Amino acid sequence: HDAITEAAGPGRWTPLINAKAEDGLSSSLRSGVSLMPADASGAIVVLGDMPGITPDLISRILAKAAAYPGSIIYPLTPDGKQGHPVFWPADILAQFEELTGDQGGKPLLRRHAHRIVTIASDNSAAIDIDTVEDLAAFKMRGSDPP
């Protein structure tokens, strides 16, 4: 964790070590939400293994969240896939405590489907690097959108 924190450099973030990482993705979400200020309007969950997430995409999601308070916001790819990152309004964040194991927020997306607002995105919002092969394929694409 020290090497990652050093590589990230200074910024507007607080490094967090998830002591229960072996419990899966849900423990990471719970850990992150535990650091949220009480007056936050929500949280944007940005996954570290998705290199197609850009500052512009994050800005567009936050602008949509400001325009649609109380909504869950995420990018939708041209082929209809949910992309990342996802903006979660504050009143849903406590429900992250219900998540268990290696699952993200999909159960909460299903529960609150009526609150979802999407933004158009290219396929880069859904590129997930989980293996060495995924990384090699991403590098082969170069800087062109997938």
Side-chain angles (χ1 to χ4, degrees), residues 10-11 17 20 25 28 37 40 58 62-63 70 72 80 82 86-87 92-93 96 109 115-116 126 128-129 136 141:
I17 298 167
K20 296 184 178 186
L25 177 59
S28 294
I58 292 171
L62 293 175
I72 300 168
Q82 177 212 329
V86 178
F87 177 85
I92 294 178
L93 296 178
F96 279 41
L109 289 176
R115 295 175 64 178
I116 294 172
D128 188 7
I129 307 295
R141 288 186 195 106

Side-chain angles (χ1 to χ4, degrees), residues 30-119:
R30 289 191 306 274
S31 294
V33 166
S34 73
L35 291 181
M36 295 296 301
D39 63 346
S41 63
I44 187 164
V45 176
V46 183
L47 304 179
D49 63 350
M50 301 193 76
I53 296 173
T54 63
D56 176 65
L57 180 59
I58 292 171
S59 293
R60 290 177 41 224
I61 288 171
L62 293 175
K64 186 69 83 164
Y68 292 88
S71 295
I72 300 168
I73 315 291
Y74 61 74
L76 195 63
T77 66
D79 56 358
K81 289 183 185 173
Q82 177 212 329
H84 285 273
V86 178
F87 177 85
W88 297 92
D91 66 302
I92 294 178
L93 296 178
Q95 295 174 35
F96 279 41
E97 286 297 321
E98 301 169 16
L99 302 174
T100 59
D102 200 29
Q103 69 174 332
K106 293 274 189 209
L108 300 179
L109 289 176
R110 286 189 293 274
R111 181 183 306 162
H112 298 286
H114 61 286
R115 295 175 64 178
I116 294 172
V117 175
T118 62
I119 63 167

Side-chain angles (χ1 to χ4, degrees), residues 117-130:
V117 175
T118 62
I119 63 167
S121 176
D122 62 18
N123 288 330
S124 64
I127 296 173
D128 188 7
I129 307 295
D130 290 327

